[in-house]
Amino acid sequence: MKRVSQLTALALICGLASLSSSAADMPHSLTLAQLQAQNGAVIDTRISAFYNGWPQTLSGTSGHEPAALNLSARWLGAMSDEQLSGWAKQHRLTPDVPVALYGNDDDNQTVKTRLVKAGFTHVSILSDALQQADRLQRLAHFEQLVYPQWIHRLQQDKPVTAAPAGDWKVIEAGWGAPKLYLLSHIPGAGYIDTNEVESEPLWNKVSDEKLKAMLAKHGIRHDTTGILYGRDVYAAARVAQIMLYAGVKDVRILDGGWKAWSDASLPVERGTPENVTPAPDFGAPIPGQPQLMVDMEQARGMLHRQDASLVSIRSWPEFIGETSGYSYIKPKGDIAGARWGHAGSDATHMEDFHNPDGTMRSADDIADMWKAWNILPEQHVAFYCGTGWRASEAFMYARAMGWKHVAVYDGGWYEWSSHPQNPVSTGARGPESTR
C-alpha cells in the first residue's frame, strides 16, 4: 500500500508540473490573427456601451473586435459560478478553448481570475485590440441606447459623441403617480405617466389627438430629442415607441434604466418636476410614422409568412397557455401562428434580453435567439405582448440593431383574446408550428 501511495503521489506531482509547464508555455498575449489560427475566442471585458459602439473618448475607436463576446468585469459580482458556466455553454466555450481578453488591465485581470477559477486553462490578452478601426464591429444604431455618463456629460454642456441636433429632454417614464421619482431621479428629468400614452379598456395607445396634447404639455416637438429612462426599461420603451410613432425624430433610451444611473453613482435630485413650457405646436403631422404600429387585421395578415413575423414577446408559460400573465386578462394561450421571441420568467421580467446588469444583451445573442424561430432582419416584424410594454422594449432593441421594418402590434394578446373568432394555440410547440 505504501508503494502505491508513493506512485500515486509521484503521478500527481508530475501532473501538476505538466499543468504548470503548460500554463507557463501559454503566451501572455496573442494577436487576433494568432488567436483565430487557434480557433480561439475573443472576450471584451468593457461595459456593454463601449462594446456596442460608444467610443471611450471623443476621438477614440468605436466598436468591438470581430466576433468578440462581451463579458464585462462589472457583471461578475452579479454572476454565480453556475451562471458563468451557463454563459460559457451558451457561447460554446469549453475550458480548453484559447481565450484572449481586452479592456483595461484591471477588468482583464478580474475576468481572467474568474475564468481560471471556472477551469479555463488558456487565457491570455489580445495584444492588438482596438488598433484597427476598419475591422471593428458595432451595433448599427448604438446611439439610440445611451449610457449614464453620456447623459451626465450632456447635462454639463460637455462635448459628446452623437449629440442631439437641437433641443433635448431627459424624461422618466413610469406607471401612475411619480412616487419613486419624487424620492430620487436624474437631475432635471421630467416625468411622464404611462397613463398619458395608453388607456383602458385594452391599454392601447391613446388617440392621436390626445397624444398630440400630451406631447405639447411636456414641451416636446418633432425635433426634440427625447432621452427616456424608467425604473423598468420597458416603461421607458413603451413611451419611446409611441413618441416615435407620433413623429419625434430622435428618441433614445437609457440602457439599463434607472439602475444603470444609480449603479454609476451619479448625482440625483428629489422633488417635483420643473415647470415645463408647453410646446405651442408639434411642428409636423401626427402620426409621423404610422407604420410603427399595426392593428389586429394587419397582425392577422402577418401570420404563416416567410417574409413577415408576428412575434410574441411573452414568457414561455404565457406562450404555451399555462397562464395569461395578467390578473385582468382571463384567456390563456397565444396567437396561433405567432413566433416566440422570448421575454423572461413572467409578465414583469425581460431577462432573456438583458445582461446581468440589466443592459441590452449583445445584438448577436438576440439575433441568434430570434433566428431559431425564423424571425429575421429582412422580414416585416411586429412585436406584441400582453398590452405593449415588453413588445416596445424588443422593438427598441431591434431598431438599435438596424432592423428596418419593425413595428408593435399594440392590441397584443389582450385584444386578440377578446375576439373569439381569432385562432389561438396552447401547449408546447416549436418554430415548425408557424410555417
Side-chain angles (χ1 to χ4, degrees), residues 238-375:
R238 176 63 163 162
V239 176
Q241 201 273 339
I242 290 174
M243 285 174 60
L244 286 165
Y245 159 87
V248 180
K249 293 180 180 178
D250 185 8
V251 182
R252 316 189 193 192
I253 60 174
L254 172 57
D255 196 14
W258 169 253
K259 182 180 183 298
W261 185 272
S262 180
D263 288 350
S265 299
L266 291 169
V268 298
E269 68 180 15
R270 297 170 59 93
T272 57
E274 297 178 4
N275 291 328
V276 176
T277 302
D281 183 66
F282 185 66
I286 292 179
Q289 297 194 81
Q291 75 278 10
L292 300 187
M293 291 279 193
V294 301
D295 61 23
M296 188 168 66
E297 291 306 312
Q298 291 170 315
R300 186 181 289 110
M302 296 176 71
L303 296 169
H304 303 292
R305 285 169 49 183
Q306 292 305 305
D307 64 342
S309 280
L310 184 63
V311 181
S312 175
I313 304 297
R314 303 177 72 205
S315 67
W316 184 249
E318 289 172 274
F319 185 71
I320 66 174
E322 288 182 355
T323 175
S324 74
Y326 302 80
S327 61
Y328 52 88
I329 300 178
K330 301 306 177 186
K332 299 176 183 179
D334 215 323
I335 298 174
R339 296 178 174 130
W340 188 50
H342 288 255
S345 53
D346 57 35
T348 62
H349 290 87
M350 287 282 282
E351 304 102 322
D352 295 349
F353 289 90
H354 293 165
N355 293 318
D357 63 352
T359 54
M360 172 189 159
R361 276 180 69 183
S362 75
D364 287 344
D365 281 358
I366 293 174
D368 286 348
M369 187 169 68
W370 285 342
K371 185 178 180 180
W373 277 79
N374 194 35
I375 303 162

Side-chain angles (χ1 to χ4, degrees), residues 119-196:
F120 284 79
T121 55
H122 305 289
V123 184
S124 57
I125 301 300
L126 192 67
S127 60
D128 59 344
L130 307 178
Q131 294 178 14
Q132 298 182 35
D134 60 345
R135 78 182 185 193
L136 300 183
Q137 301 172 346
R138 59 192 61 82
L139 195 63
H141 295 291
F142 65 85
E143 75 283 353
Q144 295 174 10
L145 298 175
V146 303
Y147 64 105
Q149 291 79 5
W150 182 89
I151 296 177
H152 187 52
R153 287 184 63 86
L154 185 68
Q155 291 178 323
Q156 293 179 312
D157 294 324
K158 293 181 178 179
V160 294
T161 301
D167 186 32
W168 53 271
K169 294 181 182 297
V170 178
I171 299 169
E172 178 171 332
W175 179 77
K179 296 176 182 178
L180 295 175
Y181 170 95
L182 293 174
L183 294 175
S184 186
H185 57 262
I186 295 177
Y191 183 82
I192 290 180
D193 177 356
T194 56
N195 288 311
E196 298 179 71

Side-chain angles (χ1 to χ4, degrees), residues 79-93 118 120 361:
M79 295 179 77
S80 66
D81 292 344
E82 183 180 4
Q83 288 170 322
L84 181 60
S85 176
W87 178 89
K89 183 178 180 180
Q90 174 198 342
H91 294 99
R92 296 176 288 281
L93 290 183
F120 284 79
R361 276 180 69 183

